[in-house]
Amino acid sequence: MSRKIFVSAKEVAERAGVSRSAVSRTFTQGASVSQETRRRVIEAAEALGYHVNHLARGLMRDESGIVCLIAAELDTPYRASLIRALTRHLQSASKIAMLVNTDRSDESVGQALRLAISYRADASIILSGMPARSITDICLKSGQRLVLINRDEERDGALMINLNDRDAAQRAFLALLRAGCRSFAFANSEALTPSLMAREEGFREAGRKHGMEVAVERFGATTYESGLVLAQRLLTRESRPDAIFCANDLIACGVMDAARHQFKLDIPSQLCLIGFDDIEQAKWSSYNLTTFAQPVDEIAAEAVTWLAHAPSQVRSRKLVAELVWRGSVRGG
Amino acid sequence: MSRKIFVSAKEVAERAGVSRSAVSRTFTQGASVSQETRRRVIEAAEALGYHVNHLARGLMRDESGIVCLIAAELDTPYRASLIRALTRHLQSASKIAMLVNTDRSDESVGQALRLAISYRADASIILSGMPARSITDICLKSGQRLVLINRDEERDGALMINLNDRDAAQRAFLALLRAGCRSFAFANSEALTPSLMAREEGFREAGRKHGMEVAVERFGATTYESGLVLAQRLLTRESRPDAIFCANDLIACGVMDAARHQFKLDIPSQLCLIGFDDIEQAKWSSYNLTTFAQPVDEIAAEAVTWLAHAPSQVRSRKLVAELVWRGSVRGG
DNA sequence: GAAACGATTGCACACGCTTGCAAAGGCGTG
DNA sequence: CACGCCTTTGCAAGCGTGTGCAATCGTTTC
């Protein structure tokens, strides 16, 4: 392995004819350096291709500038857009994202958190899974910040960002009811995530409140393929639903495709659909899906400002997912 | 800001009743420690919640374990799946991905590379844009590895991974010709990336070879929305194409939706379409798009094994994108 | 029993940086 | 000119780790 040779502050100092401290101060925000020395240092640094070693800097300061993003299935549209938003916000807060890919197991999330500790990350943001308390305790005790997005379990000292899933589900029911639907169903995955369950329960609850039965099916992961299967199951029931609220836009797309191509149903006249997330594809004219928009940018902004600024007392933020009316429900 | 307090090797050493070196050696691959001390060190480390400080380790070793991923528009399906594959492969090679979000400008890619240098990344993988030679030179001179995916320009010492775009485009032409198409078009974006241009030129060239004119339109970014516009332009020409090869699956989806919903064309009987990338949505039954599959996993594997292992002489790898037959071309 | 050998272990230095502290220099005021 | 104040600068300690070197210890061989 070829040795790595980076230019150090010492070399810059020698070339600029100043002390090493002067170089360090030149690149430290708010340190005391004269115009003249700064100029000479910058010049020498430029010429030599010097860059402050953030590893060494992180050793002295109590900030490494690293924030660890922990997520599974990062190629999923919603997940990907959240990651994009997070990295953007982190970068404008002069932080850098470290991305850890987990499978869905809580064990692997634990491993990811250990990695975050090893790199002395300033914070970890968890998008999937929920690690054991023993590990989150180490994080928090070490002074590492922790942000949980759409997780349910509580951790003292962590910031929890959640959506109004339950309310949204109830609004979905009302919207479908007003559209004249009579037979309701909820298409869920088997990944019984807190937020997915909140949507399911909110929808059922709304059904009960209006004295209507809600059919529920659960299958697989929250993917397009699961949507195909779920549609198959729901639409072959003896009382076929004319309204399906899907846990997810991906599922909704699957359901819609199966309903149209396999069952030859027209949407929205014979079947109304509502999804959740407002992924890119929901806008595509083949789907034109009515759905709830995840406030992705707001989530990212909230997370980043919290972990970048002084520790406010706020421990939990609830953001709202707004209903986006499109063509998959009658009479928007 | 609350101070961060991590437990250090010294504390572990004290608790285990050994020297600090013993602790260090316990966590160093292939160092000389007796069974007994190792056991006591591990036990103490476990009890205290000790994790080796990778920042400090990176200071001593010439490997930080960090690999910098540089990309724009990371929420795009193809990009997202590549990032997922890369992080997975990196992790199984005990490396960690640092994700930098750039806009398309080469300037911002340069900034990203500076960041990679600052964090003493072992390597950088560039998925979008092309930084100035002055910066890549610093990287390479420092001994940092550089992988360019689907970039064209050459950099001595960097690994370039490319696809057979030109050949693929010619195969696309043949496939369309055999399907009985007579009027050919290429739908491109204005992002004149090397690989996109290679597809365009390959397609035109195949046309020339068969004595057929190829209509070309370019618009916007490589997005679904651009596809809508491109379809609008191409399908209102006086000699309407009955075969469109799209630079991208996203564009292809846009073109298909516009063709169907706005121009009421049937696919593939009235219009044949081929895309590129084989994104998730290409499989969706609304699109069922014939396309070329990016060998995402192979790309990632190639990149990671190169940068993780000893410097082989190979400087350039050309991988093949296979044609995936689906329903958007007649007679697959 | 002495010598030779290999496995462990501790010491101390190095990595590249930040920062408290004190010394040095510049400048206005009395 | 003496004094005090403020800005700038260098020194040196320290951050948490890896590792060469020499010392120690236990074991084997003659």
Side-chain angles (χ1 to χ4, degrees):
Chain A
M1 187 62 95
S2 65
R3 259 206 116 53
K4 290 203 287 184
I5 305 166
F6 291 93
V7 16
S8 76
K10 195 168 99 182
E11 304 172 49
V12 176
E14 279 166 8
R15 173 164 181 138
V18 297
S19 77
R20 226 189 25 254
S21 326
V23 178
S24 178
R25 291 195 169 101
T26 299
F27 294 103
T28 299
Q29 200 71 356
S32 163
V33 210
S34 72
Q35 284 295 333
E36 174 58 12
T37 35
R38 157 168 271 121
R39 197 188 55 71
R40 293 169 61 188
V41 168
I42 299 266
E43 189 180 299
E46 204 82 13
L48 294 174
Y50 170 74
H51 291 83
V52 179
N53 186 333
H54 275 53
L55 267 43
R57 172 177 276 180
L59 214 49
M60 285 299 301
R61 291 215 222 276
D62 57 338
E63 284 183 7
S64 62
I66 297 174
V67 172
C68 191
L69 264 41
I70 301 176
E73 291 142 6
L74 0 123
D75 53 348
T76 267
Y78 159 62
R79 214 56 70 71
S81 68
L82 185 50
I83 286 173
R84 174 183 171 151
L86 282 168
T87 53
R88 274 196 20 236
H89 279 89
L90 284 172
Q91 281 170 227
S92 35
S94 304
K95 302 222 170 277
I96 184 75
M98 188 163 250
L99 186 57
V100 181
N101 201 338
T102 66
D103 50 43
R104 240 187 312 283
S105 78
D106 292 348
E107 171 55 29
S108 73
V109 178
Q111 283 303 325
L113 270 183
R114 292 178 183 287
L115 214 51
I117 296 178
S118 287
Y119 278 101
R120 299 302 188 258
D122 296 337
S124 295
I125 303 181
I126 300 183
L127 309 184
S128 334
M130 194 65 202
R133 177 161 244 117
S134 59
I135 298 182
T136 56
D137 278 354
I138 296 181
C139 289
L140 295 168
K141 206 181 304 176
S142 312
Q144 188 178 86
R145 278 172 158 54
L146 207 55
V147 179
L148 310 173
I149 298 185
N150 276 338
R151 311 291 92 205
D152 205 33
E153 223 172 315
E154 205 156 326
R155 290 290 190 275
D156 266 355
L159 172 66
M160 297 174 37
I161 300 183
N162 284 293
L163 297 185
N164 58 338
D165 294 287
R166 189 172 228 101
D167 295 352
Q170 301 189 344
R171 280 174 55 198
F173 187 91
L174 286 182
L176 292 167
L177 192 65
R178 290 213 191 93
C181 298
R182 289 313 172 95
S183 175
F184 300 83
F186 185 78
N188 205 351
S189 71
E190 285 170 328
L192 305 180
T193 279
S195 46
L196 297 184
M197 287 311 291
R199 291 170 205 168
E200 177 180 316
E201 282 161 17
F203 198 67
R204 296 180 102 137
E205 195 179 307
R208 269 198 304 279
K209 206 178 297 175
H210 290 80
M212 319 213 57
E213 193 68 24
V214 169
V216 172
E217 283 288 353
R218 295 183 191 154
F219 178 81
T222 49
T223 61
Y224 173 86
E225 284 77 16
S226 299
L228 296 178
V229 174
L230 287 162
Q232 176 72 29
R233 292 197 185 163
L234 285 169
L235 297 176
T236 51
R237 293 200 166 203
E238 51 187 321
S239 74
R240 190 171 73 196
D242 60 353
I244 304 181
F245 180 38
C246 303
N248 204 354
D249 279 357
L250 285 178
I251 290 180
C253 288
V255 168
M256 192 185 289
D257 275 347
R260 277 190 183 141
H261 304 144
Q262 196 177 336
F263 293 91
K264 309 297 178 200
L265 295 177
D266 182 72
I267 292 169
S269 72
Q270 296 175 283
L271 175 64
C272 291
L273 283 177
I274 299 185
F276 205 105
D277 284 350
D278 195 21
I279 62 178
E280 174 73 17
Q281 288 73 30
K283 302 181 192 69
W284 291 8
S285 62
S286 282
Y287 298 102
N288 196 19
L289 181 69
T290 296
T291 186
F292 289 89
Q294 289 253 12
V296 169
D297 210 67
E298 205 180 335
I299 293 174
E302 199 76 42
V304 173
T305 57
W306 183 77
L307 61 81
H309 297 339
S312 53
Q313 291 309 318
V314 50
R315 292 288 177 238
S316 163
R317 290 283 289 156
K318 181 153 276 188
L319 303 181
V320 306
E322 293 290 357
L323 185 54
V324 180
W325 278 100
R326 295 211 183 85
S328 64
V329 174
R330 288 188 291 276
Chain B
M1 187 63 94
S2 65
R3 259 205 117 55
K4 289 203 285 186
I5 304 166
F6 290 93
V7 16
S8 75
K10 195 168 99 184
E11 304 170 49
V12 177
E14 280 165 8
R15 174 165 181 138
V18 296
S19 79
R20 205 184 47 70
S21 321
V23 178
S24 177
R25 287 193 238 266
T26 299
F27 295 102
T28 299
Q29 199 72 355
S32 163
V33 211
S34 73
Q35 285 294 332
E36 173 58 12
T37 32
R38 159 169 269 120
R39 198 189 55 69
R40 293 168 61 188
V41 167
I42 299 267
E43 187 180 301
E46 205 82 14
L48 295 175
Y50 169 74
H51 292 82
V52 179
N53 186 333
H54 276 52
L55 266 43
R57 172 177 276 181
L59 212 50
M60 287 298 302
R61 287 212 221 278
D62 56 340
E63 284 183 8
S64 62
I66 298 174
V67 172
C68 192
L69 263 42
I70 302 177
E73 291 142 7
L74 357 127
D75 53 347
T76 265
Y78 159 62
R79 214 55 70 70
S81 67
L82 185 50
I83 287 173
R84 173 181 172 154
L86 282 168
T87 53
R88 274 198 17 240
H89 278 89
L90 285 172
Q91 281 168 229
S92 35
S94 305
K95 301 221 171 278
I96 184 77
M98 187 162 253
L99 186 57
V100 181
N101 200 338
T102 65
D103 48 47
R104 239 186 315 281
S105 78
D106 292 348
E107 171 54 30
S108 73
V109 178
Q111 284 302 326
L113 271 182
R114 291 177 183 287
L115 215 50
I117 296 177
S118 288
Y119 279 100
R120 297 303 186 258
D122 296 337
S124 295
I125 302 180
I126 301 184
L127 309 184
S128 333
M130 194 64 202
R133 177 160 244 117
S134 60
I135 298 182
T136 57
D137 278 352
I138 296 181
C139 289
L140 295 168
K141 205 179 306 174
S142 313
Q144 188 178 86
R145 277 172 160 51
L146 206 55
V147 179
L148 309 174
I149 298 184
N150 276 338
R151 310 291 91 206
D152 204 33
E153 224 171 316
E154 204 156 325
R155 291 287 190 274
D156 267 355
L159 171 66
M160 297 175 38
I161 300 182
N162 284 293
L163 297 185
N164 58 339
D165 294 288
R166 189 171 228 103
D167 295 352
Q170 299 187 345
R171 281 173 56 199
F173 187 91
L174 286 182
L176 292 167
L177 193 64
R178 289 212 191 93
C181 298
R182 290 312 172 96
S183 175
F184 301 82
F186 186 78
N188 204 352
S189 70
E190 285 170 327
L192 306 179
T193 279
S195 47
L196 297 185
M197 286 312 289
R199 291 168 204 168
E200 178 180 315
E201 282 161 17
F203 198 67
R204 295 180 103 138
E205 194 177 307
R208 267 198 304 278
K209 206 177 298 177
H210 291 81
M212 320 213 56
E213 194 67 26
V214 169
V216 171
E217 283 286 352
R218 296 183 190 152
F219 178 80
T222 50
T223 62
Y224 173 86
E225 284 77 15
S226 299
L228 297 178
V229 174
L230 287 163
Q232 174 73 31
R233 292 197 186 165
L234 285 169
L235 298 175
T236 50
R237 292 199 167 204
E238 49 188 322
S239 71
R240 191 170 71 194
D242 58 354
I244 305 181
F245 180 37
C246 303
N248 203 356
D249 279 357
L250 284 178
I251 290 180
C253 289
V255 168
M256 192 185 290
D257 275 348
R260 276 188 183 139
H261 305 145
Q262 195 177 335
F263 293 90
K264 308 298 179 200
L265 296 177
D266 180 71
I267 293 171
S269 73
Q270 296 176 281
L271 175 65
C272 291
L273 283 176
I274 298 185
F276 206 105
D277 285 351
D278 195 21
I279 61 178
E280 174 72 17
Q281 287 73 34
K283 304 182 191 66
W284 292 7
S285 63
S286 282
Y287 297 101
N288 196 20
L289 180 70
T290 296
T291 186
F292 289 89
Q294 290 255 11
V296 170
D297 211 65
E298 205 180 334
I299 294 174
E302 199 75 42
V304 172
T305 57
W306 183 77
L307 59 82
H309 298 338
S312 54
Q313 291 311 318
V314 50
R315 293 288 178 238
S316 164
R317 291 284 288 154
K318 180 151 280 185
L319 303 180
V320 307
E322 293 290 356
L323 184 54
V324 180
W325 279 98
R326 295 210 184 84
S328 64
V329 175
R330 290 188 290 274

